[in-house]
Amino acid sequence: MSVHPITLSQTGFVHRDELTYPFEERGLQFGDGIYEVIRIYAGASYLLTEHIDRLFRSAEAIRLDLPFSKQEARNLLTELLNQNEMTSDGIIYLQATRGSAPRVHAFPGDVPANVYAYVQDMPRKTKKLTSGVSAITQRDTRWENCYIKSLNLLPNVLAKQAAQENGSYEAILQKDGKVTEGSSSNIYLIKDGTIFTHPATKHILHGCVRMRVEEFAHDLAVPFVEKAFTTADIPDADELFLSSSTSEIMPVIDVDGIQIADGAPGSITRELQYQYEQDAAITHVNV
Ligand code: PDD
């Protein structure tokens, strides 16, 4: 894997070693900021417009002024890929915070946002995409505005750590028994040929891949029902899968040690994976 050292900052393109922030920084001290993770395949971004649209929705929700328009953001991120001579699979990580200022809770006044974005290699998880992964359930202890892609990720971090310590890939979050989403993904259950997933309310992140899953389901004539399922429904599921920019459409074959159906990725999940690869113009062999 190669290092891609050119980083986009609020002052332009700089080498990553030159990028420093004072410790009185709103993202560091309050988590007062937002972020995006954008998938790159063979050097080209996937769902860039959707991610930028969501970044602007998050910024509006927390009343943060971004120092660029949507079109400028597109151009800057494309330039970031070019400057790093990106040709591999990877991600762009982008974050914007309410800037550097002495620590007081309220907004600091006329302080510009701190923004940075960098590129990192990330191969596709082809083995897991083929065989499926396990998950555990965890209580969703997050706040009411999970549609904002906020830097405040402590509940997500703790849930993912619990999953990892259990040898699992993801933590499926539940509120009063209803599955909201994963610690860093959206979650879907398939029963009798219908896909169920939590509605796109304020209680989940409106995943960019989720938007595509809905379209793929429509194209495949598979009903896509935005209705929360419960943890009690999981053992009877025909198929279960999760989606995210880093995990794509990932089959879940075991939850809390209980096998889903025959323990292999189901046929609808595999059809959705195929649609995803077509849509993202992925040409590499999925081993
Ligand atoms: N996470 N839900 C949560 C809580 C997430 O953090 C993510 C993405 C998703 C899926 O969103 P999308 O399809 O737009 O990637 C759902 C990113 C990958 C992360 O934090 O690393």
Side-chain angles (χ1 to χ4, degrees):
M1 274 197 228
S2 46
V3 178
H4 304 288
I6 309 299
T7 304
L8 171 66
S9 77
Q10 63 273 18
T11 54
F13 290 97
V14 294
H15 193 281
R16 58 188 299 150
D17 296 343
E18 290 167 36
L19 196 63
T20 58
Y21 289 103
F23 56 83
E24 287 179 304
E25 204 278 335
R26 308 264 319 171
L28 289 173
Q29 293 191 317
F30 297 106
D32 187 0
I34 54 177
Y35 76 104
E36 282 295 328
V37 177
I38 302 159
R39 197 63 164 111
I40 311 298
Y41 291 116
S45 57
Y46 179 52
L47 305 178
L48 182 59
T49 303
E50 287 79 356
H51 284 283
I52 291 174
D53 284 349
R54 187 172 62 194
L55 180 75
F56 275 75
R57 287 200 302 275
S58 294
E60 193 186 346
I62 72 161
R63 299 162 60 192
L64 177 72
D65 285 331
L66 293 170
F68 41 61
S69 67
K70 287 185 181 180
Q71 187 55 46
E72 284 164 348
R74 281 187 74 87
N75 295 345
L76 286 166
L77 294 179
T78 305
E79 178 64 16
L80 178 70
L81 294 173
N82 290 340
Q83 292 225 6
N84 282 290
E85 297 177 0
M86 187 71 180
T87 54
S88 49
D89 291 348
I91 56 159
I92 294 173
Y93 177 83
L94 177 151
Q95 76 168 46
T97 77
R98 214 179 303 277
S100 307
R103 185 182 181 279
V104 288
H105 281 67
F107 296 176
D110 211 8
V111 172
N114 285 334
V115 179
Y116 68 75
Y118 62 89
V119 181
Q120 184 190 307
D121 278 349
M122 185 182 285
R124 299 185 66 212
K125 301 177 171 82
T126 44
K127 229 173 156 176
K128 289 189 172 71
L129 287 166
T130 307
S131 57
V133 295
S134 64
I136 59 167
T137 54
Q138 288 278 290
R139 204 156 74 84
D140 189 344
T141 60
R142 299 173 304 160
W143 70 332
E144 290 185 1
N145 293 314
C146 296
Y147 72 103
I148 301 170
K149 204 159 172 57
S150 146
L151 293 178
N152 291 272
L153 287 176
L154 200 43
N156 310 59
V157 167
L158 293 174
K160 185 76 92 188
Q161 182 63 18
Q164 199 174 300
E165 286 173 5
N166 183 67
S168 293
Y169 183 80
E170 179 59 303
I172 296 174
L173 305 179
Q174 56 85 13
K175 247 184 195 144
D176 303 322
K178 283 186 181 165
V179 171
T180 48
E181 59 182 331
S183 72
S184 63
S185 61
N186 293 113
I187 306 279
Y188 313 77
L189 177 146
I190 301 176
K191 185 69 185 169
D192 297 331
T194 296
I195 300 172
F196 294 92
T197 196
H198 195 285
T201 62
K202 289 189 166 188
H203 298 292
I204 67 161
L205 186 76
H206 303 185
C208 295
V209 181
R210 183 187 183 282
M211 293 176 208
R212 278 296 199 272
V213 168
E214 184 170 6
E215 287 173 24
F216 300 155
H218 185 259
D219 293 346
L220 294 167
V222 173
F224 182 91
V225 177
E226 292 190 275
K227 180 173 179 290
F229 56 92
T230 69
T231 49
D233 296 326
I234 292 177
D236 295 326
D238 296 331
E239 301 179 37
L240 205 72
F241 68 93
L242 59 83
S243 76
S244 82
S245 299
T246 50
S247 294
E248 305 184 2
I249 293 173
M250 180 67 81
V252 180
I253 55 166
D254 184 294
V255 178
D256 292 334
I258 298 170
Q259 182 180 295
I260 307 299
D262 64 358
S267 58
I268 294 176
T269 307
R270 282 187 281 118
E271 283 182 60
L272 292 168
Q273 288 180 311
Y274 179 75
Q275 297 277 321
Y276 180 97
E277 291 188 353
Q278 298 297 304
D279 192 55
I282 296 170
T283 50
H284 346 350
V285 180
N286 195 350
V287 281

